[in-house]
Amino acid sequence: MRKRWIISFLAFLFAFGCATAPPIQKTQLQIREFQTRTYDTNDVKLVMKAMLNVLQDEGYIVKNAVPELGLLTAEKQADVESKTEAFFAAFFAGAQARWKKACFIECSANVSEHGKQTRVRVNFQSKILDNKGGIVELKQIEDEKYYQDFFSRVDKGIFIQKEKL
């Protein structure tokens, strides 16, 4: 009886001992906070122009810009195809094989005047497509550092716009 209890206990430890806690989910308010930046200028056009330049510098294709609404949308594509993954998928699944082929990063931004300041909210979404064009993964980018880096480049862009460099 004691031996059976010890074996059961060891099996339990083996099965659940290495389990990790699920990642902490950010609230929508937390996400919105790092997606938003306020600039000390009420020149919305200047801020939008700086954002356009930054997005283009980063390889984005601007799809839509509506200054009256403060709306910007842009997208960039990257090839994520792994030749190894493609080979094994085709080898085992034949004509029905599917593997990751392309990644699209989509950006939408809302630029609005807020008193004597300009408020910018931007969000990025990652979409991975397979070799047949089907969506494999679609998720909002929730990495705070990603947004900090983006806004850092916008800060520099605004400085350059103001100094007319």
Side-chain angles (χ1 to χ4, degrees):
M1 181 69 173
R2 182 171 167 88
K3 187 175 180 183
R4 181 179 279 167
W5 186 85
I6 290 173
I7 291 172
S8 296
F9 180 72
L10 290 175
F12 176 80
L13 283 179
F14 178 74
F16 298 104
C18 296
T20 60
I24 297 172
Q25 290 286 80
K26 294 179 177 90
T27 66
Q28 188 57 45
L29 187 60
Q30 290 170 320
I31 294 168
R32 183 179 284 205
E33 186 176 325
F34 61 73
Q35 289 178 333
T36 305
R37 178 75 54 99
T38 302
Y39 294 99
D40 288 325
T41 179
N42 62 352
D43 190 346
V44 172
K45 186 176 176 182
L46 175 114
V47 174
M48 283 189 73
K49 183 74 172 161
M51 289 187 60
L52 281 166
N53 287 329
V54 168
L55 288 166
Q56 289 177 325
D57 290 347
E58 295 297 313
Y60 285 84
I61 302 299
V62 176
K63 298 290 188 179
N64 199 4
V66 184
E68 298 81 29
L69 296 176
L71 173 71
L72 284 174
T73 61
E75 175 181 86
K76 79 175 175 179
Q77 179 182 356
D79 185 15
V80 294
E81 182 176 38
S82 162
K83 298 299 182 193
T84 305
E85 180 185 4
F87 171 78
F88 282 110
F91 182 78
F92 289 110
Q96 286 75 37
R98 292 183 177 262
W99 59 88
K100 292 178 183 173
K101 176 76 175 161
C103 177
F104 290 86
I105 306 287
E106 299 170 338
C107 170
S108 66
N110 178 3
V111 183
S112 55
E113 188 176 336
H114 192 72
K116 294 184 178 190
Q117 298 177 318
T118 300
R119 184 173 290 161
V120 175
R121 180 170 181 210
V122 65
N123 61 44
F124 292 91
Q125 175 177 281
S126 169
K127 179 169 48 174
I128 298 177
L129 302 179
D130 65 19
N131 58 307
K132 299 194 188 260
I135 296 174
V136 175
E137 181 179 295
L138 178 65
K139 65 179 182 177
Q140 180 174 317
I141 297 174
E142 295 180 358
D143 178 12
E144 189 171 349
K145 184 167 178 4
Y146 191 91
Y147 291 89
Q148 288 171 348
D149 292 345
F150 175 77
F151 281 124
S152 174
R153 291 188 297 274
V154 173
D155 294 344
K156 290 174 188 169
I158 290 172
F159 175 78
I160 289 170
Q161 289 288 116
K162 281 183 176 179
E163 298 299 317
K164 299 184 186 337
L165 299 176

